[in-house]
């Protein structure tokens, strides 16, 4: 595409831009007359950028910083536009149409015959409609649909919630707490044996149980571990300063 004439201020620094102007800028950057780097990228080459920008948006949310969040959401949106522009099988309009259809088809308590008057019932309705749309025949199918590339603690948390939704759950947090003692004892045995593979498995069982406890207490495992890591950095920094 050719760069617009001077009377078009799309490529001029200004206070506000429209969604259409964003699409125009990205299309120009990837055109023959645009940027060599942008033009050379593929879905695979910038896949990590999507994850990085999403993480930075999460950090901004945790900081309760609306200015930073606005910027990071823009970076996430740029990744969506970038991938949509380079795609041959679909356009950004297809992406928008797809999410609109999903929002309508999953909210059948508003746009269909289902009834859900609490957040918990809405989530169950959403999950039911998702299973129908994707052709899941079992809860296991739904569990396998949780991306393996997701952070392990978050993936375990989501899979445990799916099991709990069909009644496979601890009756109280006390049972899960006692399970920690069992898993920890098994971990000690494998460590003493020096069996690295079995040690890894038992350590995984222990972590999975800890995630279960946090879920039962309505706490997020990623937030818990992130907070611990930040406290460790703070204590280590203090130790260095005092050394």
């Amino acid at each position: 595409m050719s760069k617009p004439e001077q009377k078009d201020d799309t490529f001029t620094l200004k206070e506000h831009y429209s969604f259409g102007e964003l699409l125009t800028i990205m299309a120009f950057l990837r055109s023959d007359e645009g940027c060599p780097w942008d033009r050379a990228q593929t879905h695979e080459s910038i896949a990590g950028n999507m994850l990085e920008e999403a993480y930075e948006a999460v950090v901004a949310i945790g900081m309760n910083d609306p200015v930073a969040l606005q910027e990071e959401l823009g970076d996430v949106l740029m990744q969506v536009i970038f991938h949509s522009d380079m795609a041959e099988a679909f356009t950004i309009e297809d992406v928008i149409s797809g999410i609109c259809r999903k929002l309508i088809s999953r909210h059948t308590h508003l746009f269909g015959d289902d009834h859900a008057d609490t957040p918990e019932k809405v989530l169950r309705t959403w999950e039911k409609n998702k299973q129908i749309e994707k052709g899941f025949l079992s809860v296991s199918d739904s569990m396998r649909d949780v991306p393996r590339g997701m952070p392990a603690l978050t993936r375990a948390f989501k899979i445990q919630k799916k099991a709990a939704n069909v009644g496979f759950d601890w009756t109280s947090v006390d049972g899960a707490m006692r399970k920690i003692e069992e898993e920890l004892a098994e971990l000690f045995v494998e460590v003493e044996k020096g069996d690295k593979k079995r040690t890894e498995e038992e350590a995984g069982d222990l972590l999975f149980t800890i995630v279960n406890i946090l879920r039962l207490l309505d706490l997020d495992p990623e937030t818990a571990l992130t907070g611990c890591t930040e406290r460790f950095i703070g204590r280590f920094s203090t130790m260095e300063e005092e050394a």
Side-chain angles (χ1 to χ4, degrees):
M1 67 176 291
S2 299
K3 189 174 179 180
E5 298 178 3
Q6 188 63 37
K7 63 180 181 180
D8 188 328
D9 66 349
T10 297
F11 297 94
T12 302
L13 287 177
K14 55 185 180 179
E15 187 67 22
H16 298 289
Y17 297 82
S18 68
F19 185 71
E21 287 176 313
L22 171 59
L23 299 181
T24 298
I25 292 170
M26 179 56 71
F28 175 72
L29 290 175
R30 287 188 39 78
S31 71
D32 291 339
E33 300 174 3
C35 172
W37 185 89
D38 289 294
R39 190 167 56 248
Q41 300 314 302
T42 65
H43 292 300
E44 293 76 18
S45 69
I46 63 170
N49 295 11
M50 177 76 81
L51 192 59
E52 179 181 343
E53 301 300 355
Y55 277 135
E56 291 179 355
V58 171
V59 170
I61 292 172
M63 294 169 56
N64 194 26
D65 186 338
V67 175
L69 180 57
Q70 174 187 315
E71 178 181 351
E72 299 305 339
L73 289 177
D75 291 341
V76 172
L77 178 59
M78 185 191 74
Q79 294 302 311
V80 175
I81 301 302
F82 208 152
H83 282 281
S84 298
D85 187 82
M86 70 174 68
E88 297 181 356
F90 60 85
T91 65
I92 186 61
E93 287 79 12
D94 295 324
V95 173
I96 293 171
S97 295
I99 192 60
C100 287
R101 285 193 297 270
K102 180 180 292 185
L103 289 172
I104 293 172
S105 67
R106 300 282 177 86
H107 286 82
T108 49
H109 59 294
L110 297 176
F111 308 115
D113 299 326
D114 284 322
H115 176 73
D117 54 5
T118 67
E120 293 75 20
K121 291 179 180 178
V122 169
L123 288 177
R124 285 196 292 270
T125 299
W126 177 285
E127 193 65 26
K128 179 202 70 173
N129 291 327
K130 180 179 180 179
Q131 291 190 26
I132 293 173
E133 290 173 13
K134 289 182 173 286
F136 294 154
L137 301 177
S138 66
V139 177
S140 298
D141 288 341
S142 177
M143 290 178 176
R144 294 188 186 97
D145 189 56
V146 180
R148 290 177 63 89
M150 182 178 289
L153 293 178
T154 299
R155 185 167 184 256
F157 187 87
K158 291 178 73 69
I159 288 173
Q160 289 172 4
K161 285 182 67 175
K162 290 180 181 295
N165 285 339
V166 294
F168 189 83
D169 202 4
W170 295 97
T171 55
S172 71
V173 72
D174 294 338
M177 292 290 290
R178 287 192 294 272
K179 184 67 173 176
I180 280 189
E181 298 176 0
E182 175 187 329
E183 299 297 351
L184 190 57
E186 292 175 357
L187 177 59
F188 278 137
V189 170
E190 299 306 332
V191 170
E192 290 179 357
K193 289 181 180 178
D195 187 330
K196 293 191 68 173
K197 178 61 177 176
R198 288 291 299 147
T199 297
E200 180 181 71
E201 292 175 357
E202 294 301 340
D205 291 345
L206 179 60
L207 288 171
F208 196 82
T209 302
I210 292 173
V211 171
N212 239 335
I213 291 171
L214 292 171
R215 178 184 59 81
L216 290 165
L217 294 173
D218 198 25
L219 295 171
D220 179 71
E222 291 288 342
T223 301
L225 186 55
T226 297
C228 174
T229 303
E230 291 301 314
R231 290 192 298 275
F232 175 81
I233 293 172
R235 289 193 293 266
F236 195 89
S237 176
T238 300
M239 181 186 70
E240 285 186 312
E241 292 171 358
E242 295 175 349

